[in-house]
Amino acid sequence: MTLDIPLSIITASNSGDREQQVQFKLQSGIISSALEHATPEQLFNTDPLNPPNAFSAVKGLQIAAAAGQRIYQVTPANMATT
């Protein structure tokens, strides 16, 4: 089964703070990714002793971090070297 939750976010803030808008978009994306694995895990959990294991970008990063893998954040400043 494949689940892709499209995300369209239009942001504005009363303060006009661009950083607040960026952080809102980032958090919305993380939550949407987490829902992509949490939703099927909950919907198809018929055996509590053997729960399903769905996957999303967020879950992949969690698994990699738990395994001690190095995770890079690519930015314009480090794009050429990362």
Side-chain angles (χ1 to χ4, degrees), residues 4-39:
D4 186 19
I5 300 173
L7 186 61
S8 297
I9 299 175
I10 300 170
T11 59
S13 69
N14 289 338
S15 68
D17 186 347
R18 175 89 174 120
E19 185 59 28
Q20 282 182 340
Q21 294 175 19
V22 169
Q23 289 304 313
F24 176 78
K25 288 180 184 182
L26 177 64
Q27 293 301 316
S28 297
I30 291 170
I31 290 168
S32 295
S33 180
L35 288 172
E36 285 181 345
H37 77 264
T39 301

Side-chain angles (χ1 to χ4, degrees), residues 12-81:
S13 69
N14 289 338
S15 68
D17 186 347
R18 175 89 174 120
E19 185 59 28
Q20 282 182 340
Q21 294 175 19
V22 169
Q23 289 304 313
F24 176 78
K25 288 180 184 182
L26 177 64
Q27 293 301 316
S28 297
I30 291 170
I31 290 168
S32 295
S33 180
L35 288 172
E36 285 181 345
H37 77 264
T39 301
E41 285 180 350
Q42 292 177 25
L43 283 174
F44 300 110
N45 189 2
T46 58
D47 181 1
L49 299 176
N50 187 24
N53 192 15
F55 194 80
S56 69
V58 164
K59 190 162 185 181
L61 290 169
Q62 290 171 338
I63 292 168
Q69 296 294 316
R70 187 176 298 167
I71 298 171
Y72 295 93
Q73 181 175 355
V74 179
T75 66
N78 69 7
M79 191 178 305
T81 59

